[in-house]
Every structure is written in C-alpha cells, then in structure tokens.
Amino acid sequence: MNLPKLLMILRSRIGIIVFTFAITVISTVLISVLMPKTYTASTSMVIDFKGGDDPLAGTLLPAQMVPGYMATQLDIISSHKVALDAVDKLKLDKSPEAREQFEKATGGKGSIRDWLADELLENMKIRPSPESSLIQLSYSSPDPVFSAAAANAFAQAYIETNLKLKVDPARQNSVWFGEQLKILRDNLAASQERLSAYQQEKDILAIDERFDVENARLTEMITQLVTAQAQTQDMLTRKNQASAGQDSGGSLEDLPEIQSNLFIQGLKSRVADQEARVAELSGQVGVNHPQYQRAIRELGSLQQKVSREIQKAARSMGNNAQLAQQREAALKDAIAAQKKRILELKQGHDEIAVYLREVENAQKAYDTASQRFSQTNMESQLSQTNVSVISQATPPINPSQPKLFLNIALAAFFGALLGIGLAFMAEMANRYFRSEQDINDDLDLPVLGTLHKRLAQVKVVQRQPMRLTHAHPNLRTAT
C-alpha cells in the first residue's frame, strides 16, 4: 500500500478520525476538569559527608563509601519508623477523619498508626540529586496545607531519626564504658597496692640505683679480696721463712721484718754501744770492778731484750699471717653474701618488673577506656546532625495534578492515532475500489472505463465482461 492510497483512505474516512479525535480530547478535558486536584509540596535537605562517620572527629567519608551512605540515608527516609514519627508529629491518629477512613479501609483491624504510616509512604516521593548530596522530599495530597505539613514532618522525623541512630548507640556504649571504667580503676588500684606492698616487703624503693650501688660494692670487695690474698701470701711466706730459720738454728735478724723494725734496730744500736763501753771498761778497770760488772749486766739485759723483741716480731709475723687469712676468709664470706644480696635484688628486680608491667597494662587499659568513655559520652550528648534543611515546604498555589495542557496534548496525539487506527479498521472491514490501480491489483482484471462526477467519459480498454460479484463479493466500487 503506497502513500497516495493511504491518503485516499484517510480522506474518505475523515469523519471517523475527526469524531474519534474530538471525543478523545473532549473526554480528556472533562476528566481533567472533574478530577480532584492534587497539590505537591517539596522540602530539600543536604547531607554533609564530613562527619558522617564520626561526628566528633569530623572526618570526610571516603569517596567509595558515599554511594552506600546515600543509599542508606534514602532507606532510612523511606522507612516505616520515620513514617510513624511523621504520623506522631502530624497527630493524624488523633484526627476523627483519619479514624473514619481507617475504619472504612480496614474495618478497625490493626494499628491506625501503622496504616497511616503506610498511607503517608505511598504519597511520599524521594528524589536524590545524582551529582550532589541534596535530597528532595515531595508529598502529594488534595490539601495543599497538609502536603506542606507532611513533607516538613517527614524531613524533621528523618533528621531526628538520623540523630537518634548516632546518639542511642553512643549512650549504650557510654554506659558500658562507664561500668568497665570502674572495674579497670579497681584493677589499677589493686595492681598499685600489690606493687607498693612488694616494695615495702623487700625494702626496694629505687631498684636500679640500689642495684648499681650493690654492684659497685661487690666490685670493691673483690678488689680488697685480691689485695688481701696477696698480703696473706706474703705473710705466709715470711712466716715460713721465720719458722725455717728457727728450725735450722739460724738467725732471725736477717728477716726483712726484723731489719725494718725500728725498735729492734734501736735496741741493737744500744747493744753495740754497750759492747763498746764494756770493751772500754775492760781496758780501764778490771773484770771484777763494779762498773765493769754493771756494764756486763746491762749488756746482757739489752741482748735479752733484743732477743725477746726478735721472738716477738717473729710471733707477730705468724699472727699477721693468721689475721691476713682471717681477713681473706671474711672478705670471701662478705663477697658471697654480697653476691647473694645482688641475686636477691635481681630476683626482686624481675618480680618488681612483673608488678610494674601489671600496673602499666592496667594504666593503659584504664586510659583507653577513659578516652573511649569521654568520646562516647560526648557523642551521647550530641544535638546536631549532618543533615540540614535547605528549604522547607510551603503550601503550593497551583495543583500538580491534573496537568490540563499536558493531558490535552497527549489526548490530541493519541486521539489522532486512535482515529487513524479506527479508519483503517473500517476500511479493512468494508473495502472500496478507489482507483484503477485497486482493480488491477486486487482483481487482476482490465479496466473498461472511468466515470467522473462532472465529466462522463469512457475509456475502452478491452472488450471483456467483468463480474465483480462472483470474484469478490465484499468489494464495492466507490463513486
């Protein structure tokens, strides 16, 4: 079917098209005028991604978390909980009209608050901005004032719910951390008491300083022991020399101790002087002279005294050797005791280190819990949220539904399509020959002639009869 044929069909069925078009447009206008008007009020909110995760630190959310965070906020806005809060703010459950509608719709079954919340959600539309953090809430109803009030109530309910979702867990955490803080404080006090009791029991105040002092003392004792051992060995050697000299009948005067003894040397000097006097007197007087005899007695006395002093010095060497041995043994005992003391201090150092670590760990746990308690306590007292209302809804002046001009335009378009469709359906149900080409195409017969309304003229094509009735009973010629 070509375009000229289509135009001929439309021209011949123009009445159907016009009638259908007119009915469609007029019906649409009447319906649009008679339909109840719906008013839509909108409120805009912005979500600040700074502090969305931590309102105290104010850190920005990572970019990859923003879509998920926005989706979560949209789910919260459209949640039944927010709708219930909006019902409470609007006090719809107290309205007689709302109760009457609830009775008609549900027969009084269920909760009126839940039913009203579902009704509010059905008329609420949420449109997030694809390129920003703005969210627009729109509510539609026949009453423009109620539409604005419902949109604002939804926005306020969402803001309060958003804040509550942050504050309620923080309050629970704050209570829990407060309880844990008391336990950790008691643990810290008990650890400090155990440390103090151990220090008093072991008499340890400054363990590191005392450990250094005791080590220095041990080093000094070891040095003294080495010196004492050398002295003891020297004393024993001299004692042995003196004993060997006495056993062999030798003289002790050649011993260094005797040679260095000033008193003995003084006595020996007096003996020498007395011997010289005796020799002098022996030349002057006789041996029986009283002066000579007195000098002989004095010389003997001095010699005996020298001998006694030498014996005394020899005995003193033995005593000194014994004292040196005793001093060496005492130093060894003192060193052993000092080593034991140092070992005890080291053990005490290890024990006190355990107590100190216990106190340190208890202090760290207490400080961490105290910090978390302070943070959660501050979070539990938050009164601000990261959601702000940019523009509140106001009662709209013009209705959002029905849109008369849009409906007329759509009715005109679809009415024309419907009229054209009906025209083609009528043509298919009752076909007409509208041109010579129709006869040639549909009947495959030659055309004998063409009659016009104003000028009758016959065009002879071929002398053959044409039987339309028997060939196509449904086809008729158009005049």
Side-chain angles (χ1 to χ4, degrees), residues 177-405:
F177 275 112
E179 296 174 352
Q180 296 301 313
L181 201 61
K182 295 178 182 178
I183 298 174
L184 293 174
R185 188 187 298 112
D186 295 338
N187 292 339
L188 177 60
S191 300
Q192 290 175 341
E193 288 179 1
R194 285 193 293 269
L195 174 61
S196 178
Y198 183 80
Q199 287 178 328
Q200 293 178 1
E201 178 185 356
K202 300 298 182 180
D203 193 18
I204 299 175
L205 296 179
I207 185 68
D208 294 331
E209 295 180 2
R210 187 166 182 182
F211 194 74
D212 294 338
V213 170
E214 297 297 337
N215 274 330
R217 184 175 299 172
L218 177 62
T219 302
E220 183 181 357
M221 287 182 178
I222 292 175
T223 303
Q224 292 176 359
L225 176 61
V226 172
T227 303
Q229 286 176 341
Q231 292 176 353
T232 301
Q233 187 65 29
D234 185 54
M235 292 294 182
L236 289 174
T237 301
R238 294 177 184 180
K239 177 184 176 184
N240 293 334
Q241 289 177 355
S243 299
Q246 288 180 348
D247 294 339
S248 62
S251 175
L252 300 176
E253 295 182 3
D254 296 332
L255 294 174
E257 285 75 8
I258 304 300
Q259 295 290 336
S260 61
N261 194 322
L262 297 178
F263 184 69
I264 294 176
Q265 295 302 322
L267 290 176
K268 289 175 70 176
S269 178
R270 289 176 60 187
V271 169
D273 292 342
Q274 192 65 25
E275 288 178 348
R277 181 175 176 75
V278 169
E280 182 182 357
L281 288 176
S282 65
Q284 293 178 357
V285 296
V287 295
N288 295 323
H289 192 276
Q291 290 183 353
Y292 182 79
Q293 293 294 326
R294 189 170 56 252
I296 289 294
R297 287 195 299 272
E298 290 179 1
L299 180 58
S301 175
L302 288 173
Q303 289 177 344
Q304 291 178 358
K305 195 171 184 180
V306 170
S307 179
R308 286 195 302 272
E309 291 297 328
I310 290 175
Q311 293 295 328
K312 185 177 179 181
R315 288 194 301 272
S316 67
M317 284 191 293
N319 294 332
N320 290 337
Q322 185 177 2
L323 290 174
Q325 289 178 335
Q326 292 176 355
R327 185 168 180 270
E328 180 182 351
L331 284 173
K332 288 181 179 180
D333 294 339
I335 288 173
Q338 185 66 14
K339 288 181 178 180
K340 183 178 179 181
R341 179 62 178 165
I342 291 176
L343 289 176
E344 290 178 353
L345 283 176
K346 189 176 183 304
Q347 183 179 2
H349 183 274
D350 296 338
E351 291 289 336
I352 205 170
V354 173
Y355 286 109
L356 285 173
R357 282 195 298 271
E358 182 180 349
V359 172
E360 182 180 357
N361 292 335
Q363 185 68 48
K364 287 182 179 178
Y366 177 78
D367 293 341
T368 302
S370 179
Q371 182 179 3
R372 290 290 296 149
F373 173 74
S374 299
Q375 182 179 2
T376 54
N377 189 36
M378 291 179 63
E379 290 177 359
S380 65
Q381 299 176 8
L382 284 176
S383 58
Q384 303 259 342
T385 181
N386 62 327
V387 181
S388 301
V389 175
I390 298 299
S391 62
Q392 288 190 345
T394 57
I397 299 175
N398 299 318
S400 58
Q401 294 292 340
K403 297 179 180 179
L404 182 60
F405 295 105

